[in-house]
Amino acid sequence: MLNQNLITYNKSEHRLPSGEISPATKKIIDKLVDHGFEAYLVGGAVRDLLLGLHPKDFDIATDATPEDIKRIFKGKCRIIGRRFRLAHIYMGNSIYEVATFRGSDPGDRVVKQGQIIRDNVFGTVDQDAIRRDFSCNALYYDMHEETILDFAAGVHDLKKGELKLIGNPNKRFIEDPVRMLRAVRFHAKLGLALTDSMRQDIINNRHHLHKVPTARLFDEAVKMFHCGNMEIAYYALSELQLFNILLPVAAKIANQQEQWHDFLIQAFRNTDHRLKNGLSVTPVFLTACVMWLEFIPIYHTLLDKGTNSHDALHEATTLVMTNQRDYLMIPKAIQNGIRQMWTLQLRFKKMSGKGVYSTLHHPRFRAAYDFLLLRNLSNSELSQQAEFWTNIQNMSPEGIKSLIFGKKVKRQKINYEL
């Protein structure tokens, strides 16, 4: 392994808190090394530990091939992927990703119009490093020597607080356009600055995102939604003209109407707040919030044509999801969750009778309730509903029964329009 750009940092220099590395990760690396292979903790986990963060995933890089890894970890390993073959090792309830060093020589690599379609060329650790996207991800931690191998000045860039792409942007962004979205996510999540030149390179190459499978783009969008600083990411996505590639209708509406811009910002802030406080999040919620901007005008157009509110809701939801397929392929399970959240917005209007119980115990109640509160911020007409569904959650069963059945409610026709 000869690389003139390699910088090696010893324990006293890097001070990486190795105690935070999961025992299973150490066990996997030890076993690979015992079988005569190189193996390192790599990429995001090393980066995050150096930044004082607490990584959830611990990826491993090795010169063992996927078949070698499967042979070593009999019954605990599964080889996945066609574009990039990887090994998943199962330890307890966790999955650990082990990747073979990528090489630079031609071989089992398919490139179409500059974009890498398949790449299973294996090589050495220094070749693997220059194939990675950003300098801060080309860091390898040797657990036995307790050293960090830095092939692209990643430690320097982290100290400087800048995100640096490895290689020629006009080549690397075409090879894998998703790197542009990853750049925004790392900028928002890690606070690493995007240089002016990288910003311009992203704008110049943004159209290549149209070549990426829409299912993969949705996965990247969800990672962005849950990066912990989606408000910052949103402003960067808008500035770099990426948001309108992922969600063109929502981007146009938010850009033209301040009310809906503010709605999105508050939705992003709510999710960021939940993540910072260790609360659970679901991709259904923010996807529903963003798609709501496109849903509302379609829904009201159908109402104007005489469609009843229930049918209009379901027809508009279907149209929105169909229209979005060309940009982000939203999985059926998430589509169903969004439909349920939006349907509950109609049911929230009914605040008496047995229907209150079924609404209160609906599996999507919490997400739908949070969505109602979000809508209430820009629509004061929803304040009565918001107050009712807030108060009822803190009542005893007897109190709920008394509230909805204890006094005669004057029968009136409820307007179920949103």
Side-chain angles (χ1 to χ4, degrees), residues 156-208:
H156 170 269
D157 294 335
L158 283 178
K159 289 179 178 178
K160 196 175 178 182
E162 287 187 353
L163 187 69
K164 291 288 185 66
L165 186 74
I166 297 174
N168 183 339
N170 293 323
K171 181 175 183 289
R172 303 308 304 280
F173 284 147
I174 295 173
E175 282 180 349
D176 186 0
V178 165
R179 287 172 179 150
M180 292 181 276
L181 298 179
R182 285 167 60 83
V184 173
R185 176 155 56 90
F186 293 147
H187 161 65
K189 177 182 178 181
L190 306 173
L192 299 177
L194 301 177
T195 63
D196 290 341
S197 60
M198 184 184 287
R199 289 174 183 272
Q200 191 57 54
D201 289 329
I202 290 175
I203 292 172
N204 293 344
N205 288 284
R206 55 188 284 278
H207 60 283
H208 292 295

Side-chain angles (χ1 to χ4, degrees), residues 121-267:
V121 180
F122 303 135
T124 59
V125 62
D126 52 328
Q127 291 173 340
D128 186 73
I130 62 172
R131 294 289 309 281
R132 292 183 176 268
D133 48 10
F134 303 102
S135 64
C136 62
N137 291 335
L139 300 172
Y140 299 73
Y141 181 60
D142 185 328
M143 296 194 59
H144 293 92
E145 298 295 330
E146 297 185 294
T147 57
I148 289 177
L149 307 183
D150 182 356
F151 294 88
V155 172
H156 170 269
D157 294 335
L158 283 178
K159 289 179 178 178
K160 196 175 178 182
E162 287 187 353
L163 187 69
K164 291 288 185 66
L165 186 74
I166 297 174
N168 183 339
N170 293 323
K171 181 175 183 289
R172 303 308 304 280
F173 284 147
I174 295 173
E175 282 180 349
D176 186 0
V178 165
R179 287 172 179 150
M180 292 181 276
L181 298 179
R182 285 167 60 83
V184 173
R185 176 155 56 90
F186 293 147
H187 161 65
K189 177 182 178 181
L190 306 173
L192 299 177
L194 301 177
T195 63
D196 290 341
S197 60
M198 184 184 287
R199 289 174 183 272
Q200 191 57 54
D201 289 329
I202 290 175
I203 292 172
N204 293 344
N205 288 284
R206 55 188 284 278
H207 60 283
H208 292 295
L209 280 170
H210 291 300
K211 303 174 185 177
V212 179
T214 53
R216 186 176 177 219
L217 286 181
F218 179 75
D219 289 342
E220 289 299 323
V222 170
K223 291 177 184 177
M224 192 86 70
F225 286 165
H226 296 165
C227 73
N229 284 302
M230 182 54 201
E231 181 182 358
I232 294 173
Y234 169 70
Y235 283 116
L237 289 170
S238 299
E239 178 194 341
L240 300 173
Q241 302 170 42
L242 298 176
F243 195 70
N244 60 354
I245 288 181
L246 302 177
L247 296 146
V249 177
K252 182 178 179 180
I253 292 173
N255 188 51
Q256 294 177 345
Q257 301 181 41
E258 185 177 356
Q259 159 195 3
W260 291 116
H261 167 82
D262 294 344
F263 176 85
L264 284 186
I265 293 299
Q266 191 58 54

Side-chain angles (χ1 to χ4, degrees), residues 333-351:
I334 293 178
Q335 289 187 34
N336 292 337
I338 292 171
R339 191 182 295 271
Q340 291 171 347
M341 269 185 60
W342 290 352
T343 300
L344 283 170
Q345 303 309 302
L346 290 179
R347 290 173 58 173
F348 283 146
K349 297 177 76 72
K350 187 173 184 180
M351 294 175 281

Side-chain angles (χ1 to χ4, degrees), residues 245-347:
I245 288 181
L246 302 177
L247 296 146
V249 177
K252 182 178 179 180
I253 292 173
N255 188 51
Q256 294 177 345
Q257 301 181 41
E258 185 177 356
Q259 159 195 3
W260 291 116
H261 167 82
D262 294 344
F263 176 85
L264 284 186
I265 293 299
Q266 191 58 54
F268 298 146
R269 285 177 180 171
N270 287 359
T271 296
D272 291 345
H273 176 76
R274 290 185 66 84
L275 287 163
K276 285 178 173 62
N277 287 276
L279 301 175
S280 63
V281 293
T282 167
V284 171
F285 183 78
L286 270 189
T287 309
C289 291
V290 176
M291 301 308 297
W292 184 257
L293 275 63
E294 181 175 354
F295 164 84
I296 280 294
I298 296 175
Y299 171 77
H300 284 292
T301 297
L302 291 170
L303 290 179
D304 292 341
K305 291 180 179 179
T307 308
N308 68 63
S309 58
H310 184 271
D311 290 345
L313 184 143
H314 288 286
E315 188 175 339
T317 303
T318 300
L319 283 171
V320 167
M321 297 306 166
T322 301
N323 293 343
Q324 189 58 36
R325 284 178 191 165
D326 291 336
Y327 311 101
L328 293 180
M329 180 63 76
I330 302 173
K332 282 290 184 183
I334 293 178
Q335 289 187 34
N336 292 337
I338 292 171
R339 191 182 295 271
Q340 291 171 347
M341 269 185 60
W342 290 352
T343 300
L344 283 170
Q345 303 309 302
L346 290 179
R347 290 173 58 173

Side-chain angles (χ1 to χ4, degrees), residues 32-65:
L32 287 167
V33 172
D34 288 344
H35 280 77
F37 296 105
E38 288 182 72
Y40 304 93
L41 181 66
V42 67
V46 181
R47 177 200 68 213
D48 288 356
L49 288 170
L50 288 176
L51 290 173
L53 303 175
H54 308 286
K56 296 179 181 178
D57 300 316
F58 296 92
D59 294 340
I60 298 164
T62 179
D63 58 348
T65 66

